[in-house]
Amino acid sequence: MGAIMFPFVTYGQSAADKKVQAGLTFNAGANFLSPSSNKIEVNGGGSVLSIGLNLHSALKSSQNLAISTGLEFDFGKNNYGPNSSDGSSYTFVDYLQDDVILTNEEAANADTYETMQLVSRKVSTTKLTIPLMLLFRTNFIGDFRYFGKFGIRNSFLLSHSIDDEGMATTLGIPNGTNVSTSLMRSPGEMFIYNGSIGLSAGAEWNFVGSTCLVLEAGYYYGITPYFLNRKEANRTMYNIGTELVFPPSRDYFSAAARQNQLIFKLSILF
């Protein structure tokens, strides 16, 4: 019996005694935009998928306290549109057919461009995320130990694209033609850094040798803007004034929101 039990004891001790664990991680979850402006509203939840590296490093000689960090590539989506509660004010964007959304300043200096009454927008982003979490964990109970984390996710924007749905307009009057654009660029529309603080909890299974399978779920609250509050010359969305003047006046604005996330994380650590 002792010979039979010996391998299992050895496996548990080897995983427990490791000061540093590193391996691959895969995340899947949901994004939730929280508008801080009455100019936009959310059209359902977004999504996030991530792949990268995960690292747990014990603090000094403690088995129960560690730092959790890593390097992850996040592929996120969010859906929003103009606030439809006030039908008297429509939102417009100007764009070129070669995939560029025009700013206030660019539209004023452009010879020709298209205008759309915006109905809905989908933003796709690629970000580099570096989580920094304090990890509290139990001792191994058999092949399992359980943990909680608290800390911050630091995300840096690498690229983005915008898909718009709306109606073509002439001088601010929709002409009844539905239009859509895809993979549009709007440099400076998105805030380059997104920080969020949160909590997660999960379990670690030492299933062979010192190799562990880790499953966790966490919720992260955004503490930085998702969009960049740009100078008026660099804003892209606008409302048209109701006064009878030609050309009609434009009231440019920036979207304003924060992003919260619910993330499920699966890692294999060695």
Side-chain angles (χ1 to χ4, degrees):
M1 178 65 73
I4 296 175
M5 293 300 296
F6 179 76
F8 295 95
V9 174
T10 302
Y11 293 164
Q13 288 179 340
S14 62
D17 292 340
K18 291 196 70 173
K19 303 304 179 186
V20 177
Q21 296 172 288
L24 299 176
T25 186
F26 173 77
N27 302 347
N31 293 331
F32 305 98
L33 280 184
S34 178
S36 52
S37 165
N38 60 4
K39 293 287 189 178
I40 67 169
E41 63 180 5
V42 178
N43 296 331
S47 63
V48 60
L49 294 173
S50 307
I51 189 169
L53 302 175
N54 193 9
L55 184 145
H56 292 173
S57 178
L59 291 179
K60 295 185 177 181
S61 59
S62 175
Q63 294 184 12
N64 307 115
L65 189 60
I67 294 293
S68 175
T69 185
L71 195 66
E72 302 168 4
F73 289 95
D74 291 347
F75 305 95
K77 296 183 185 296
N78 279 298
N79 304 289
Y80 66 96
N83 192 340
S84 60
S85 62
D86 183 5
S88 63
S89 181
Y90 299 108
T91 296
F92 300 88
V93 293
D94 301 323
Y95 62 96
L96 301 177
Q97 291 291 353
D98 59 356
D99 78 2
V100 177
I101 298 173
L102 298 181
T103 66
N104 179 2
E105 185 175 50
E106 290 170 339
N109 296 321
D111 294 328
T112 59
Y113 54 82
E114 305 292 334
T115 301
M116 175 196 302
Q117 178 192 317
L118 185 64
V119 175
S120 65
R121 170 170 284 185
K122 179 175 72 175
V123 176
S124 301
T125 59
T126 301
K127 297 182 179 183
L128 176 65
T129 295
I130 303 174
L132 186 59
M133 313 280 288
L134 194 59
L135 170 64
F136 305 90
R137 58 193 179 190
T138 67
N139 293 330
F140 271 99
I141 305 172
D143 292 330
F144 292 87
R145 63 179 170 186
Y146 307 91
F147 63 86
K149 293 182 182 179
F150 172 76
I152 186 169
R153 283 172 57 85
N154 302 286
S155 298
F156 302 90
L157 182 68
L158 300 179
S159 66
H160 80 282
S161 64
I162 295 174
D163 297 350
D164 284 344
E165 299 282 345
M167 298 182 65
T169 70
T170 302
L171 299 177
I173 301 174
N175 61 24
T177 303
N178 293 327
V179 294
S180 61
T181 61
S182 61
L183 302 179
M184 299 288 280
R185 294 180 294 109
S186 182
E189 191 83 24
M190 316 296 297
F191 200 63
I192 194 171
Y193 169 76
N194 285 144
S196 57
I197 58 174
L199 295 165
S200 71
E204 179 179 346
W205 174 34
N206 178 206
F207 66 95
V208 60
S210 61
T211 303
C212 295
L213 192 66
V214 183
L215 180 64
E216 66 181 274
Y219 187 81
Y220 302 88
Y221 177 80
I223 57 174
T224 60
Y226 183 75
F227 301 103
L228 179 64
N229 186 15
R230 313 175 75 185
K231 296 179 181 179
E232 185 169 356
N234 295 325
R235 294 174 182 172
T236 59
M237 294 185 290
Y238 60 91
N239 304 129
I240 290 180
T242 57
E243 64 273 12
L244 298 177
V245 296
F246 183 85
S249 62
R250 297 180 171 192
D251 179 20
Y252 278 87
F253 65 92
S254 295
R258 299 178 188 273
Q259 177 181 261
N260 305 324
Q261 294 180 302
L262 175 64
I263 295 178
F264 299 93
K265 189 169 188 172
L266 177 66
S267 305
I268 183 166
L269 303 180
F270 305 95

